[in-house]
Amino acid sequence: MSGQVVPASVWEEHFASGGGFRRADPYEMALLRAQVRPRAGQRALDVGCGLGGYAAGLAALGYTTTAIDWAASSVAAVRDRYEGLGLPLDVRRVDFEDARSVRQLPERSYDLVTMRLVYAFLRRKAAVAERVRRLLAPGGAWVVTTPLASRLPPERRIGITERDLGVLIGGWGDGRWYDLEPAGLRVLVLRGP
């Protein structure tokens, strides 16, 4: 299933209780580094940051990172975990499905926009792609890490469908992908035309 609506209260409770998702390990971050080749002074935006582990990993790669989530408990958890550690990490409450909320982010300023385990939950995927395009700096990359619905058992079909995949990759000049493990998460790296 894609674009599954999960009530806000579920997410708030999930993050408030310290719940997260599959953690990014050093192998995943090394593969990402090889694909995006970070350079000093670049900026990253992590959409749907959850508990902030991936955003902190981006900061450790050298990106000045903005981590956003619409769940207040998520933003609070990231601040509690990473504030004062010296990482170039800014945390904000932003609902990426709300155009007005996204306007607080500077256009054409991010060298990397990431969505890890988020895209399948977004309802308006075409609008999300357009927002990413407006936020990316020239030559920037959009990295989406997601399960594919076709690889999941029917009771766990919270992944993107073939149709979602078409919306995701449409209109990008360069698209590459790799899998984190056989039958596991797919990572798509998209760059503008």
Side-chain angles (χ1 to χ4, degrees), residues 41-47 58 63-68 90 92 94 96 102-114 131-142 172 190-191:
Q42 288 188 315
R43 295 178 66 189
L45 173 67
D46 185 34
V47 177
L58 296 173
Y63 288 102
T64 298
T65 304
T66 301
I68 64 170
D90 175 41
R92 298 182 193 181
V94 176
F96 209 77
V102 174
R103 283 190 207 119
Q104 67 181 284
L105 301 170
E107 291 190 8
R108 307 270 181 243
S109 60
Y110 296 99
D111 302 288
L112 177 65
V113 174
T114 61
R131 288 182 190 124
V132 170
R133 282 184 178 89
R134 285 194 304 271
L135 294 170
L136 277 175
W142 182 20
W172 295 90
L190 305 168
R191 295 183 186 275

Side-chain angles (χ1 to χ4, degrees), residues 150-190:
S150 61
R151 292 181 169 182
L152 299 171
E155 68 276 6
R156 289 193 52 233
R157 288 255 162 107
I158 300 175
I160 65 170
T161 65
E162 293 298 320
R163 181 177 180 198
D164 296 332
L165 191 56
V167 171
L168 174 62
I169 63 175
W172 295 90
D174 180 40
R176 301 168 192 267
W177 62 269
Y178 57 93
D179 289 330
L180 291 177
E181 70 265 342
L185 298 175
R186 169 122 331 145
V187 181
L188 295 110
V189 181
L190 305 168

Side-chain angles (χ1 to χ4, degrees), residues 40-106:
Q42 288 188 315
R43 295 178 66 189
L45 173 67
D46 185 34
V47 177
C49 65
L51 297 179
Y54 199 70
L58 296 173
L61 289 177
Y63 288 102
T64 298
T65 304
T66 301
I68 64 170
D69 204 294
W70 68 268
S73 58
S74 167
V75 172
V78 175
R79 286 185 179 140
D80 287 348
R81 287 176 180 219
Y82 297 104
E83 210 168 73
L85 296 181
L87 290 173
L89 182 60
D90 175 41
V91 186
R92 298 182 193 181
R93 187 166 188 239
V94 176
D95 180 351
F96 209 77
E97 289 210 270
D98 178 355
R100 289 176 301 171
S101 185
V102 174
R103 283 190 207 119
Q104 67 181 284
L105 301 170

